[in-house]
């Protein structure tokens, strides 16, 4: 899968988060869950795990548990419930290796890949935590929109350095515009979120650039939706700093 296709997938996934986030936490949970499932299917293929479907089941179940825990949590900070889910994912990854042994020499890789994939999926619950933070509802839409803009900007040219600068700058510009659109977000807060979104895109793009391009479609989709899930934590932190 080429970088342009991957960036398009990132932009589409971010658009799903933006649209559902605008409608409310319940709709956002559905949007985030669909992105998590896409990651769960493709991540084991992307990371070359021996037992693909075992890893997929752990990642999907862990991500779903994290999302439900954050969605139904009664007291702030809601993201603390995600930590318990991440711990459960790591334990499940270790136990699965005992019950379903990987190919010789692949045990450590499989456990690490499953645990990291589950952590990435669980981090998507941070979008829900941001949406439930009083006064930070608009921040979810801002974060997702700037993420989509940064993803598209990251493949505008054939020069990685230029693309990196464009992703950061255009992400900041988009954040500045969203800061003026939403009264609850100051202009400097929008810029901060835009830069954070751009950073998540370019850092992960650089990592994938150093790896062979995934040929499996689901592996490519997983690589595309990863920045969207990871950015949820950055947006949540931005909400805590800017809104409280």
């Amino acid at each position: 899968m080429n970088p342009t296709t991957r960036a398009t997938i990132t932009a589409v996934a971010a658009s799903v988060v933006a649209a559902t986030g605008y409608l409310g936490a319940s709709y956002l949970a559905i949007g985030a869950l669909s992105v998590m499932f896409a990651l769960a299917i493709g991540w084991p293929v992307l990371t070359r795990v021996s037992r693909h479907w075992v890893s997929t089941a752990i990642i999907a179940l862990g991500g779903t548990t994290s999302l439900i825990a954050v969605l139904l949590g009664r007291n702030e900070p809601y993201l603390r419930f995600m930590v318990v889910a991440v711990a459960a994912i790591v334990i499940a990854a270790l136990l699965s290796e005992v019950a379903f042994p990987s190919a010789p020499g692949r045990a450590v890789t499989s456990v690490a890949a499953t645990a990291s994939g589950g952590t990435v999926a669980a981090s998507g619950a941070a979008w829900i935590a941001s949406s439930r933070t009083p006064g930070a509802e608009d921040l979810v839409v801002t974060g997702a929109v700037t993420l989509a803009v940064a993803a598209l900007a990251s493949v505008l040219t054939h020069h990685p350095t230029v693309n990196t600068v464009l992703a950061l700058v255009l992400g900041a510009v988009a954040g500045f515009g969203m800061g003026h659109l939403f009264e609850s977000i100051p202009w400097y807060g929008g810029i901060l979120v835009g830069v954070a979104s751009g950073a998540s895109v370019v850092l992960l793009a650089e990592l994938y650039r150093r790896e062979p391009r995934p040929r499996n479609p689901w592996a490519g989709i997983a690589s595309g939706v990863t920045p969207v899930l990871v950015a949820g934590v950055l947006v949540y932190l931005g909400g805590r700093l800017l809104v409280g």
Side-chain angles (χ1 to χ4, degrees), residues 40-52:
I41 295 173
W43 185 268
V45 182
L46 178 66
T47 54
R48 298 181 287 277
V49 174
S50 293
R51 306 290 184 180
H52 290 173

Side-chain angles (χ1 to χ4, degrees), residues 91-161:
I91 294 173
L94 291 168
L95 293 177
S96 69
E97 187 58 34
V98 175
F100 305 96
S102 300
R106 300 291 299 173
V108 174
T109 300
S110 295
V111 171
T114 300
S116 61
T119 302
V120 172
S123 66
W127 288 106
I128 313 300
S130 298
S131 179
R132 296 193 64 194
T133 300
E137 299 86 353
D138 296 333
L139 198 62
V140 173
V141 180
T142 300
V145 169
T146 56
L147 188 65
V149 171
L152 296 177
S154 68
V155 291
L156 286 178
T157 72
H158 296 290
H159 304 282
T161 302

Side-chain angles (χ1 to χ4, degrees), residues 17-121:
V17 172
T20 55
Y22 181 78
L23 296 175
S26 299
Y27 292 96
L28 178 59
I30 297 174
L33 190 63
S34 64
V35 178
M36 288 179 183
F37 282 166
L39 177 92
I41 295 173
W43 185 268
V45 182
L46 178 66
T47 54
R48 298 181 287 277
V49 174
S50 293
R51 306 290 184 180
H52 290 173
W53 290 108
V54 174
S55 181
T56 291
I58 293 174
I59 295 172
L61 184 60
T64 303
T65 302
S66 174
L67 188 147
I68 292 174
V70 172
L71 184 64
L72 299 181
R74 295 184 179 181
N75 302 312
E76 293 189 74
Y78 302 111
L79 204 60
R80 72 180 184 274
F81 300 109
M82 186 193 79
V83 178
V84 178
V86 171
I89 290 169
V90 174
I91 294 173
L94 291 168
L95 293 177
S96 69
E97 187 58 34
V98 175
F100 305 96
S102 300
R106 300 291 299 173
V108 174
T109 300
S110 295
V111 171
T114 300
S116 61
T119 302
V120 172

Side-chain angles (χ1 to χ4, degrees), residues 225-236:
V225 301
T226 297
V228 179
L229 295 171
V230 171
V233 176
L234 300 178
V235 171
Y236 176 78

